[in-house]
Amino acid sequence: MRFETEDDFDLDKIAGSGQCFRWTREADGGYRIIASGRILHIRKEGVNSGRTGSGGTQKGTYGGTSGGRHREAHGGTHGEAYGGTFELSCTEQEFQEFWHSYFDLDEDYRTLRAGIPAEDRYLRKAAEAEAGVRILRQDPWETLATFILSQRKNIPAIRQCVGKLCAAAGSRISAENGSEVYAFPSPEQVLGIGCPEIDPGDSPDCAYHLRGMDTCSLGYRLPYLYAAAQWALKHPELFIRDGGADEASLTDEALQAELCQIRGVGIKVASCTMLFGYHRMDAFPVDVWMQRTLAEHYPKGFDPRRYSPCAGLMQQYLFMAAREGISRISRCGHEGPLRKADA
DNA sequence: ACCCAGGGCCACT
DNA sequence: AGTGGCCATGGG
């Protein structure tokens, strides 16, 4: 099927946003998305496959300006952050039942951006540069588990780690032209990998290896993942889909406190889980990138409550702006990591 | 070989 | 209640 929107919707931006790790770019310029045991191919109409001929729209164009400035020129060559027509591999029914919600299409992101107060010049600029990203409504368990294993990994490493875990423990969804596709493992499936007699509480030093089994590069996070799986089985009411008897009755603070009970889950992982898995739009994850950019641009402090009820989206704009140049153009001279400045 | 990564735990103050 | 070392692993 296909659908059309005029709202912010940029596949490249979402794919590189650091909230989802199972989007893979395809040769036709679209993406294959694996989520909640489903596969979707989505492609924007009018986008040429692969590289575009003439000016080379994305790769390598860092316009000779020293230092790689933000490209201005919306209106520009392919500045289609603002909507378009998309071609999806699913049926109309499946779109209405699942993907419409997954992409959070009932929310109007242009309006949310327009609501940013003009006094906050930097945030406005970041939001404009990163327009097109959306906060996906992902599965709570998949999100929780993914962000547990994300700690102290960069985004490409997270992608690889998640892929290994799915292949090792997830159910096979289908096979497309020779390559198998696996769903994210359920809590039960996670508990099924490795030797059941390993008790993460006892000997942490030998819990990282599973007698010749592939540990999926989990490292010290493996016991954390076990603990989360056990916790999820004990609290099924917090993982009910689509409302229900549920986490909706919990305040953000209460939900965060619940999640932080899990060994290996602290404020940051809980915040990511809440924002990307429970769609708590005020959750405000702060990682090293956010620390850096907040210190640089908001020396007097940044109060997320000012942006309620969508502080988390503002966080996303700031996070992505801070990482400008990492995923797009790997080489342009982003100034090195600034340390605790001294001279 | 080096430094760093969408951190959190635990033992220290 | 704050801070620092440490954890396992892979990408640039």
Side-chain angles (χ1 to χ4, degrees):
Chain A
M1 57 86 62
R2 65 186 55 183
F3 87 99
E4 185 176 358
T5 180
E6 294 184 358
D7 195 25
D8 295 1
F9 196 110
D10 185 316
L11 295 175
D12 294 326
K13 286 259 170 36
I14 298 171
S17 69
Q19 60 177 312
C20 50
F21 303 93
R22 304 202 74 194
W23 286 41
T24 52
R25 195 193 307 263
E26 298 187 299
D28 64 0
Y31 287 89
R32 184 191 73 185
I33 302 169
I34 307 172
S36 298
R38 300 158 191 263
I39 306 174
L40 179 73
H41 297 265
I42 181 170
R43 178 179 166 275
K44 179 170 181 168
E45 288 190 349
V47 175
N48 237 340
S49 60
R51 43 154 187 91
T52 51
S54 58
T57 39
Q58 0 201 68
K59 303 201 162 179
T61 329
Y62 53 94
T65 66
S66 57
R69 285 280 160 268
H70 298 274
R71 54 205 183 287
E72 12 243 333
H74 353 238
T77 52
H78 75 312
E80 299 109 0
Y82 315 98
T85 301
F86 296 84
E87 200 179 311
L88 284 69
S89 63
C90 64
T91 65
E92 180 75 34
Q93 181 180 356
E94 205 180 352
F95 177 72
Q96 293 303 335
E97 284 177 357
F98 182 82
W99 296 106
H100 181 92
S101 163
Y102 176 81
F103 292 118
D104 195 29
L105 291 176
D106 282 333
E107 189 68 74
D108 184 343
Y109 282 73
R110 280 200 308 188
T111 300
L112 295 180
R113 274 193 297 118
I116 300 172
E119 307 91 74
D120 197 336
R121 283 195 65 251
Y122 182 73
L123 179 55
R124 284 199 80 104
K125 199 169 98 179
E128 192 171 327
E130 308 306 335
V133 73
R134 306 178 73 83
I135 305 297
L136 302 173
R137 292 177 180 265
Q138 301 183 95
D139 177 78
W141 159 248
E142 295 186 11
T143 309
L144 171 63
T146 296
F147 280 94
I148 283 173
L149 61 84
S150 79
Q151 56 186 265
R152 282 283 133 182
K153 283 179 178 292
N154 55 30
I155 289 176
I158 297 167
R159 242 177 226 123
Q160 184 166 0
C161 188
V162 170
K164 281 189 196 173
L165 178 62
C166 293
S171 302
R172 190 173 70 89
I173 306 174
S174 80
E176 300 182 325
N177 49 356
S179 80
E180 314 264 313
V181 179
Y182 296 91
F184 197 92
S186 65
E188 291 89 343
Q189 288 174 318
V190 164
L191 292 174
I193 64 176
C195 328
E197 68 265 23
I198 284 187
D199 182 357
D202 284 325
S203 47
D205 46 337
C206 63
Y208 309 135
H209 299 97
L210 296 174
R211 281 220 260 272
M213 297 199 59
D214 185 6
T215 53
C216 308
S217 307
L218 284 163
Y220 61 84
R221 308 159 190 87
L222 178 59
Y224 296 163
L225 188 61
Y226 279 163
Q230 288 175 323
W231 186 89
L233 291 180
K234 258 186 257 173
H235 300 263
E237 72 279 1
L238 293 179
F239 294 93
I240 306 284
R241 285 185 195 229
D242 285 337
D246 68 287
E247 117 281 344
S249 61
L250 296 177
T251 63
D252 286 0
E253 293 74 15
L255 179 56
Q256 182 177 86
E258 289 286 318
L259 294 171
C260 286
Q261 288 180 345
I262 306 165
R263 181 171 192 78
V265 176
I267 298 285
K268 194 272 174 181
V269 169
S271 300
C272 286
T273 304
M274 291 169 63
L275 181 58
F276 305 130
Y278 290 96
H279 210 71
R280 298 291 180 120
M281 286 288 271
D282 267 342
F284 196 87
V286 177
D287 70 334
V288 294
W289 292 98
M290 283 298 292
Q291 283 185 32
R292 266 183 231 139
T293 198
L294 290 179
E296 181 179 354
H297 297 284
Y298 299 91
K300 289 180 292 188
F302 182 95
D303 188 1
R305 287 172 298 183
R306 180 176 183 195
Y307 294 98
S308 187
C310 56
L313 176 63
M314 305 307 149
Q315 175 277 155
Q316 198 59 31
Y317 291 137
L318 294 173
F319 172 76
M320 292 172 69
R323 296 183 73 253
E324 173 78 22
I326 297 296
S327 58
R328 280 280 153 254
I329 303 152
S330 58
R331 191 54 56 184
C332 92
H334 191 296
E335 27 274 309
L338 40 105
R339 343 200 94 195
K340 314 196 159 119
D342 41 340

